[in-house]
Amino acid sequence: MSVLPPSGAIVILTGAGISKESGLDTFRDKDGIWSKVRLEDVATPEGFRRDPAKVHGFYNARRRHLVEDGIVPNAAHAALARLEREWRGEVLIVTQNIDDLHERAGSANLIHMHGELLKIRCQRCAQPFAWVDDLDQERRCPDCGRGGTLRPHVVWFGEMPLEMERIGDALAECSLFVSIGTSGHVYPAAGFVQMVRGQGRAHTVELNLEPSESATMFHESRLGRASELVPAFVEELLCR
Ligand code: BJW
C-alpha cells in the first residue's frame, strides 16, 4: 500500500457483514435472512406484485428491529467515519446495506446503492421520503393521494441499483478500493473489484470474516471480524 498517494481517493464498499456485530442479520450466512425467507418472495418486484402484504410484513419487521431494538453503529462504522474526517483526499462509502448505521456513525459521503429501510416511495410519484412506521397496502400516498402505490425504497433483484453513474466514476478515479463484509454474490457490487482492477491503478483490499466469491481478485485480503479489522486498517492508513 506504499503506492497510495497521501490524498488519493478511497472508495469503500460495505455489505451486511459490517452491521452483523450491531445485531443485524446477514443474508447468506448459515443463520442469515435467506435461510428464513425465500428471496423470490420478498426481494423481487414479482414477489411484491404476488403478495404485497408478505413483503410489507418482511420490511416492517426489519424496520422495527432497526428502530426499536437498540441497534447502534459498531467500531467498524465509527472507524470509517473517522477515515472520512481525517483522510486528506475523498472517501466515498458505497453501501449495499439499507440500514442507517453509517450515517448514524457520522459518515456523510455515502451512497445507498440498494436503497434505505427508513424511506418509502410512491410508485406513481417516485420521490422517496422518510418513514419509520409500519407500511401496508391501504396507506395512501401523502403526495398524490392514491392507495396501494407505496413500497419500500429498496432495490430488489432485477431492479437497477441507485447512483450507478456516480459509483462508476468514483471507481474509475480511486487509488484505493476496500470491500468490507460482503459475500460477493450480488452484482453489480460483486463486479466492482474487477472494474477497479481493469483500470489498473488502484490498490484493492478485502476485509471479511471469510474469503468472498471474488477474494482472489483483490491484491490483499484480511480475514476477521469487521469491528476489529476495520479500526486497525483505518489506523494503519492514517498513520502511514
Ligand atoms: C462478516 C461478519 C463480520 C459476517 N465481520 N464480515 C446471473 C449472473 C450475474 C448476475 C445476475 C445473474 N442473474 C441475475 C443477476 C443480477 C442480480 C444478481 O446479482 N443475482 C445474483 C444472486 C446472481 N442482481 C440484480 O438483480 C441487481 N440489479 C441489477 O443487476 O440490475 C441490472 C444492472 C445492469 C448493469 C449494471 C447495473 C445493474 C439488484 C440486486 C439487488 C439486491 N437486493 C438485496 C435485497 C434488497 C435490500 C434488503 O432487503 O436488504 O440486497 S439482496 C441482498 O444481497 C441485499 C444485500 O445488499 C445484497 C448483498 O449481500 P451482502 O451484503 O454481500 O450480504 P451476505 O450475507 O451475502 O454476505 C455477508 C458477508 O459478511 C459474508 O461474506 C460473511 O462472511 C461476512 N461477515 N459477519 C466481517 N462480523
Side-chain angles (χ1 to χ4, degrees):
M1 226 169 20
S2 52
V3 289
L4 176 64
S7 59
I10 301 177
V11 176
I12 315 246
L13 172 70
T14 64
I18 197 169
S19 296
K20 173 74 181 171
E21 292 163 79
S22 292
L24 298 179
D25 284 338
T26 59
F27 292 91
R28 293 168 187 81
D29 290 318
K30 198 162 42 64
D31 56 348
I33 292 174
W34 299 152
S35 71
K36 295 165 195 149
V37 284
R38 279 165 34 96
L39 69 85
E40 295 82 0
D41 290 342
V42 296
T44 61
E46 296 78 19
F48 185 55
R49 275 195 294 275
R50 234 180 1 252
D51 192 347
K54 182 173 197 154
V55 176
H56 282 312
F58 173 68
Y59 284 99
N60 288 344
R62 288 174 66 194
R63 199 180 296 113
R64 261 186 260 130
H65 181 45
L66 179 63
V67 172
E68 295 171 9
D69 292 343
I71 303 294
V72 292
N74 64 54
H77 298 101
L80 295 183
R82 175 187 173 208
L83 182 65
E84 185 182 329
R85 274 195 313 274
E86 297 182 20
W87 183 250
R88 278 198 272 160
E90 184 183 358
V91 175
L92 172 68
I93 297 177
V94 178
T95 187
Q96 298 169 84
N97 300 340
I98 62 175
D99 65 58
D100 63 345
L101 297 181
H102 282 304
E103 44 273 64
R104 276 204 259 157
S107 292
N109 198 20
L110 172 69
I111 295 177
H112 277 281
M113 65 177 290
H114 290 165
E116 294 174 66
L117 186 55
L118 301 184
K119 287 187 181 165
I120 62 170
R121 69 172 186 266
C122 171
Q123 294 176 94
R124 299 288 180 123
C125 320
Q127 196 55 33
F129 52 93
W131 193 264
V132 289
D133 299 328
D134 281 358
L135 183 58
D136 58 48
Q137 278 301 91
E138 275 65 62
R139 189 80 64 151
R140 292 186 171 276
C141 170
D143 251 9
C144 69
R146 287 194 179 88
T149 59
L150 295 172
R151 60 163 278 182
H153 182 52
V154 299
V155 177
W156 289 320
F157 284 104
E159 297 184 321
M160 184 62 85
L162 307 175
E163 300 199 55
M164 283 307 296
E165 202 175 319
R166 194 176 147 211
I167 295 171
D169 290 347
L171 292 173
E173 283 158 22
C174 71
S175 300
L176 174 65
F177 172 73
V178 188
S179 173
I180 304 172
T182 175
S183 63
H185 274 96
V186 176
Y187 285 82
F192 288 174
V193 63
Q194 272 141 302
M195 289 166 68
V196 171
R197 292 299 300 263
Q199 307 280 331
R201 273 189 322 119
H203 188 68
T204 56
V205 182
E206 168 166 282
L207 307 178
N208 210 36
L209 197 56
E210 54 195 31
S212 72
E213 287 292 297
S214 32
T216 55
M217 290 297 299
F218 290 86
H219 291 105
E220 211 185 311
S221 178
R222 301 184 188 184
L223 300 183
R225 288 202 299 233
S227 66
E228 289 160 12
L229 288 184
V230 180
F233 184 74
V234 165
E235 180 73 20
E236 220 175 278
L237 275 178
L238 293 174
C239 297
R240 280 174 344 127

